[in-house]
């Protein structure tokens, strides 16, 4: 059987080669080898896609290549996601979350990972998808009687929409009604503090920890 490092190398290569089938096969191999799906997600998929993002930045690769790499990653993530979800299937419901990528932003891989981790951690998550209009976060939270509004943003331009949602909550007299959590590559604790978000998480694992530590706010 291949070693952990060999399997992770196959996962990385599948993203670098923009190869969906190889990504799915390598993700399955990682699970069969007993590799922690969170470790596989970070080391096998997230690292190479970020490296390709930097290569795109330096104009060493073009957008279609980045899209193909992201497609390969999404296919592989689906396999890992199932395993992460299965690991949390018997947990109690700790809170109800509406989660989405903010208006004008189509990045959904990180949000999908956050959703899987929250579900595995015992949260009921309603995925609003990408490019979610600002009022939709609040409307959805009202409709399903959620406790938490989660907003993902990957662009320094669209992170401003996180602030819009929080401002709209205040304008509607709903400040404090929902616990707000923000994240995404350009988002920082400083930004979360500045816009009055209740919490910030650097990654999906931290999102679960942060919400777990704040449960008395809605329980
Ligand atoms: Co885009 N993109 N992209 N992109 N892309 C970035 C974000 C960028 C940094 C790349 C770069 O230039 N180096 C750059 C943004 C620059 C900036 O604003 N600072 C960028 C750009 C510019 C763009 C376009 C504008 C490019 C163009 O058209 N010229 C365009 C945007 C279109 C739009 O949204 N309107 C665009 C498009 C795309 C693709 C379609 C090619 C593809 C997305 C495919 C998809 O999502 N279906 C793509 C990708 C893949 C990336 C990079 C390379 C990787 C993102 C990713 O999936 N990471 C990215 C570079 C980077 O991030 N360094 C980049 C893996 C994922 C697991 O991590 O999403 O960070 P991440 O999520 C993490 C944490 O951030 C956190 O937990 C997650 C899991 O650990 N987290 C949360 C995320 N959301 C959270 C919410 C929480 C808590 C934690 O609470 C609610």
């Amino acid at each position: 059987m291949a070693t952990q490092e060999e399997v992770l190398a196959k996962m990385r290569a599948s993203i670098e080669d923009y190869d969906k089938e190889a990504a799915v096969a390598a993700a399955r191999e990682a699970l069969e080898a007993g590799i922690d799906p969170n470790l596989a997600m970070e080391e096998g998929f997230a690292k190479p896609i970020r490296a390709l993002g930097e290569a795109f930045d330096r104009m060493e690769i073009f957008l279609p290549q980045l899209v193909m790499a992201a497609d390969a990653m999404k296919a592989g993530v689906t396999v890992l996601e199932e395993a992460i979800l299965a690991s949390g299937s018997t947990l109690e419901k700790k809170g109800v979350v509406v989660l989405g990528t903010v208006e004008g932003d189509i990045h959904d891989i990180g949000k999908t990972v956050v959703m899987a981790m929250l579900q595995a951690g015992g949260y009921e998550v309603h995925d609003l998808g990408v490019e979610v209009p600002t009022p939709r976060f609040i409307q959805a939270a009202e409709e399903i009687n959620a406790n938490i509004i989660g907003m993902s943003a990957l662009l320094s331009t669209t992170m401003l929409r996180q602030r819009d949602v929080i401002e709209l909550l205040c304008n509607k007299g709903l400040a404090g009604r929902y616990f707000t959590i923000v994240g995404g590559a350009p988002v920082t604790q400083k930004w979360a503090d500045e816009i009055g978000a209740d919490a910030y998480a650097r990654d999906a694992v931290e999102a679960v920890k942060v919400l777990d530590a704040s449960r008395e706010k809605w329980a």
Side-chain angles (χ1 to χ4, degrees):
M1 193 189 265
T3 65
Q4 173 166 306
E5 192 36 52
E6 283 165 348
V7 178
L8 294 176
K10 281 188 200 175
M11 292 177 75
R12 286 194 289 269
S14 71
I15 305 301
E16 287 154 4
D17 296 342
Y18 324 124
D19 188 336
K20 265 189 195 179
E21 281 79 31
V24 168
R28 290 208 177 108
E29 195 177 341
L31 296 179
E32 279 158 19
I35 299 174
D36 174 2
N38 296 310
L39 175 88
M41 187 86 80
E42 181 57 32
E43 296 296 322
F45 288 150
K47 277 198 177 161
I49 196 90
R50 286 190 195 117
L52 286 172
E54 283 157 25
F56 172 72
D57 233 8
R58 296 190 299 268
M59 294 196 283
E60 290 166 8
I61 63 164
F62 297 102
L63 192 57
Q65 292 166 294
L66 193 55
V67 173
M68 287 189 296
D71 282 349
M73 176 165 177
K74 278 179 79 173
V77 163
T78 309
V79 175
L80 298 181
E81 201 187 350
E82 283 164 16
I84 292 172
L85 287 181
S87 71
S89 55
T90 57
L91 292 174
E92 52 162 333
K93 188 170 91 181
K94 294 178 186 164
V96 180
V97 187
V98 293
L99 178 69
T101 302
V102 296
E103 191 162 355
D105 197 324
I106 62 167
H107 295 88
D108 70 348
I109 297 174
K111 172 186 63 65
T112 304
V113 175
V114 171
M115 179 175 78
M117 289 298 293
L118 288 179
Q119 286 176 329
Y123 292 85
E124 179 182 319
V125 184
H126 296 256
D127 183 11
L128 304 181
V130 297
E131 297 198 273
V132 179
T134 296
R136 180 67 193 131
F137 280 99
I138 300 170
Q139 188 193 12
E142 296 277 86
E143 278 165 13
I144 59 170
N145 201 18
N147 311 109
I148 300 145
I149 297 179
M151 293 161 268
S152 180
L154 265 285
L155 299 172
S156 40
T157 46
T158 59
M159 60 195 268
L160 302 175
R161 303 290 81 79
Q162 296 176 330
R163 183 177 59 197
D164 292 350
V165 174
I166 291 169
E167 276 179 5
L168 190 58
L169 277 170
C170 293
N171 294 342
K172 285 177 172 286
L174 292 170
R177 164 72 183 83
Y178 301 104
F179 188 87
T180 53
I181 177 166
V182 292
V187 180
T188 58
Q189 182 66 58
K190 187 169 174 285
W191 171 248
D193 293 343
E194 201 176 312
I195 66 174
D198 294 306
Y200 158 74
R202 191 170 40 88
D203 57 35
V205 173
E206 200 175 290
V208 178
K209 285 190 189 148
V210 165
L211 291 185
D212 280 355
S214 311
R215 278 178 70 189
E216 78 284 357
K217 303 250 170 70
W218 62 84

